Amino acid sequence: SLRQTQLYHMTFRCVVLKRRGPELNNPDYMPDIKTISGLSSLIATRSSVAQLLSLFDEFVADCGAVASYAFAFAYGEYEEPALLPPIHCTFPESILNFYNENACMAVDPIARGALASSVPVTYNQFKKEYNEIPVMKDFLQQMADHGIPDGISMKVLTRPGRILYVSMGFPYSTDKISDYEFRRIRSAVEMFARHGASLPDNPIDQHIIKPLSAKELEVIAHVAKGFSNKEIARTMDLSVS
């Protein structure tokens, strides 16, 4: 009957409102950074990279970490990472300088492990590999001297061919971190990375996309004029490959 149909829709609406969370039932509701849904709501309100990184630092601290590092690169550029500055880093400056000056990224077993894994990896997982590389052994000791004996690293894809490598340093062993917390951290980092890539002032492409050379710009100008490959080659005195 019509009355039964009306009652059904009213009941369904009440259930949906209840399940969609307290934000719809309470005008004073404040998203909780500890939950994925709450963090997602907070991330969505950030309209600049500065605002997003400020929230990311809050998230890192809430996880119990004391420092973080984010580095972006494209496929094929991993061998020369020292040429690109990190997008964000709160590790002590002396540690960052040591890491960059010794081109540690190119031999860092944790970085390589994270890039080959679909889940976060821990520093302690690669302690044996670290001890076999003198510069990395020194680096790990410096970390411990600064009260960062362990940490986690992971990769996330912001778009095809674009990778964000993120590392978080902890003042205690990551053995204390549950599998659920590892998954929560990874999900959160993915949300931060993807929202950051969508912002107009995002630094990811600025870091990994090299500016075009004068010759490349000249080729583009000729293409825009409708020149064929042979015409461009003849104009610029190039060979057609």
Side-chain angles (χ1 to χ4, degrees):
S1 66
L2 177 60
R3 178 61 177 167
Q4 287 177 322
T5 301
Q6 290 174 333
L7 286 173
Y8 170 79
H9 284 298
M10 288 175 65
T11 303
F12 178 76
R13 177 172 171 75
C14 288
V15 170
V16 169
L17 287 174
K18 185 177 180 180
R19 287 182 177 175
R20 286 181 66 184
E23 65 273 20
L24 295 182
N25 303 322
N26 180 5
D28 298 322
Y29 169 75
M30 291 296 291
D32 185 356
I33 199 172
K34 296 181 182 297
T35 67
I36 288 297
S37 59
L39 183 60
S40 177
S41 298
L42 290 169
I43 289 174
T45 65
R46 272 41 184 187
S47 58
S48 70
V49 170
Q51 293 176 357
L52 189 66
L53 289 178
S54 177
L55 179 62
F56 180 70
D57 287 340
E58 289 182 42
F59 169 75
V60 169
D62 182 72
C63 292
V66 293
S68 63
Y69 176 91
F71 175 84
F73 54 92
Y75 291 133
E77 294 187 9
Y78 182 61
E79 296 302 327
E80 299 179 321
L83 299 176
L84 305 173
I87 289 176
H88 186 57
C89 180
T90 59
F91 277 90
E93 186 175 356
S94 60
I95 289 179
L96 178 63
N97 289 340
F98 180 91
Y99 195 84
N100 288 338
E101 289 168 4
N102 291 279
C104 290
M105 177 69 87
V107 295
D108 189 344
I110 291 176
R112 293 189 178 278
L115 293 173
S117 175
S118 60
V119 297
V121 299
T122 70
Y123 297 2
N124 278 341
Q125 280 179 253
F126 295 88
K127 203 163 189 177
K128 180 181 177 182
E129 289 86 343
Y130 259 75
N131 289 331
E132 293 173 352
I133 306 172
V135 68
M136 295 310 301
K137 184 178 180 180
D138 292 343
F139 172 73
L140 205 61
Q141 184 58 54
Q142 284 200 32
M143 293 277 283
D145 292 343
H146 279 83
I148 310 174
D150 204 355
I152 62 176
S153 296
M154 71 203 83
K155 76 168 187 297
V156 295
L157 300 179
T158 58
R159 66 182 68 175
R162 301 285 186 266
I163 298 175
L164 188 68
Y165 170 75
V166 176
S167 187
M168 296 165 58
F170 286 79
Y172 49 78
S173 172
T174 53
D175 291 343
K176 299 179 180 180
I177 300 177
S178 67
D179 290 341
Y180 169 81
E181 181 66 0
F182 273 119
R183 292 194 296 271
R184 185 183 79 92
I185 291 174
R186 176 175 169 73
S187 296
V189 171
E190 285 181 337
M191 290 192 299
F192 275 107
R194 287 171 184 167
H195 184 69
S198 71
L199 295 175
D201 62 338
N202 93 81
I204 294 178
D205 286 344
Q206 297 172 21
H207 279 256
I208 61 180
I209 296 180
K210 298 183 175 73
L212 296 175
S213 66
K215 183 165 288 187
E216 288 170 329
L217 290 172
E218 186 178 353
V219 170
I220 291 175
H222 290 315
V223 171
K225 294 176 182 177
F227 284 20
S228 67
N229 288 346
K230 288 184 178 180
E231 289 173 327
I232 294 174
R234 187 167 54 250
T235 302
M236 298 180 64
D237 195 24
L238 301 172
S239 60
V240 181
S241 58

